[in-house]
Amino acid sequence: MAKTKRTVKKTSRKKNLARSRKSDSSSVKKMELKYIPWDAVELEDLNPLLQRQFVVGQEMMLARVLLKKGCIVPEHSHHNEQITYVLEGALKFWIDGKVIVVNSGEVLTIPPHMPHKAEALTDTVDLDVFSPPRADWINKTDKYLRGGR
């Protein structure tokens, strides 16, 4: 009888693995290849000193953020992991009890739920990667960036 139970367990493990692989492959099929030039993406004016564009994938979001000198991104936090790569300019961050200046060509990783604030020290262009995608940006409910609008 012990052999029978072991055989049943092996068989159901194999079936579960097959189901898992099938669902993995079906989710891969749902993801589509996209080619998106930035000039084809809406440039959203959030306030007089802040604009952004973003592209959303299945598990992550890439945002191009344009900040004029003096632009303040108020303190906030989110459940998303964030990587910020400054392409041009410089951003001053207040984060985790530290002040960090991220210059052109430099990267900052921000763990989920960590409060942070930023100021553009010069006109700045940065790329932000979020995982998972920022639902508040997609749904336009990010009032902290819109001056309460």
Side-chain angles (χ1 to χ4, degrees):
M1 196 154 210
K3 283 186 178 181
T4 308
K5 284 183 182 178
R6 180 179 269 159
T7 306
V8 169
K9 282 185 178 180
K10 279 185 179 179
T11 304
S12 65
R13 276 190 211 139
K14 285 180 183 177
K15 284 181 182 177
N16 287 338
L17 186 58
R19 275 190 215 118
S20 171
R21 286 184 181 147
K22 186 176 181 181
S23 66
D24 287 348
S25 65
S26 65
S27 66
V28 170
K29 288 179 187 173
K30 289 180 185 176
M31 187 70 189
E32 69 180 67
L33 173 69
K34 295 180 185 177
Y35 167 75
I36 306 168
W38 279 119
D39 63 4
V41 178
E42 174 192 7
L43 183 60
E44 191 176 4
D45 292 310
L46 298 167
N47 67 54
L49 300 177
L50 181 62
Q51 297 176 302
R52 75 168 173 221
Q53 300 167 287
F54 58 82
V55 176
V56 181
Q58 191 168 350
E59 301 290 330
M60 66 182 100
M61 167 189 275
L62 176 66
R64 182 172 173 259
V65 183
L66 298 92
L67 306 97
K68 298 281 187 200
K69 180 180 179 177
C71 178
I72 301 283
V73 176
E75 186 175 61
H76 65 286
S77 66
H78 39 75
H79 73 276
N80 320 77
E81 181 178 9
Q82 177 177 345
I83 298 175
T84 295
Y85 172 41
V86 176
L87 295 173
E88 300 171 21
L91 292 174
K92 181 178 186 178
F93 284 87
W94 289 265
I95 185 169
D96 199 29
K98 301 177 187 98
V99 175
I100 301 170
V101 175
V102 184
N103 293 294
S104 178
E106 298 177 341
V107 175
L108 179 67
T109 64
I110 304 174
H113 306 289
M114 183 171 283
H116 54 286
K117 171 184 173 179
E119 178 183 0
L121 299 178
T122 65
D123 288 353
T124 300
V125 178
D126 84 61
L127 290 177
D128 289 333
V129 178
F130 297 99
S131 180
R134 294 281 307 265
D136 61 333
W137 286 23
I138 295 166
N139 301 329
K140 300 184 187 311
T141 59
D142 50 351
K143 291 181 182 176
Y144 75 100
L145 290 175
R146 299 169 184 273
R149 298 191 257 167

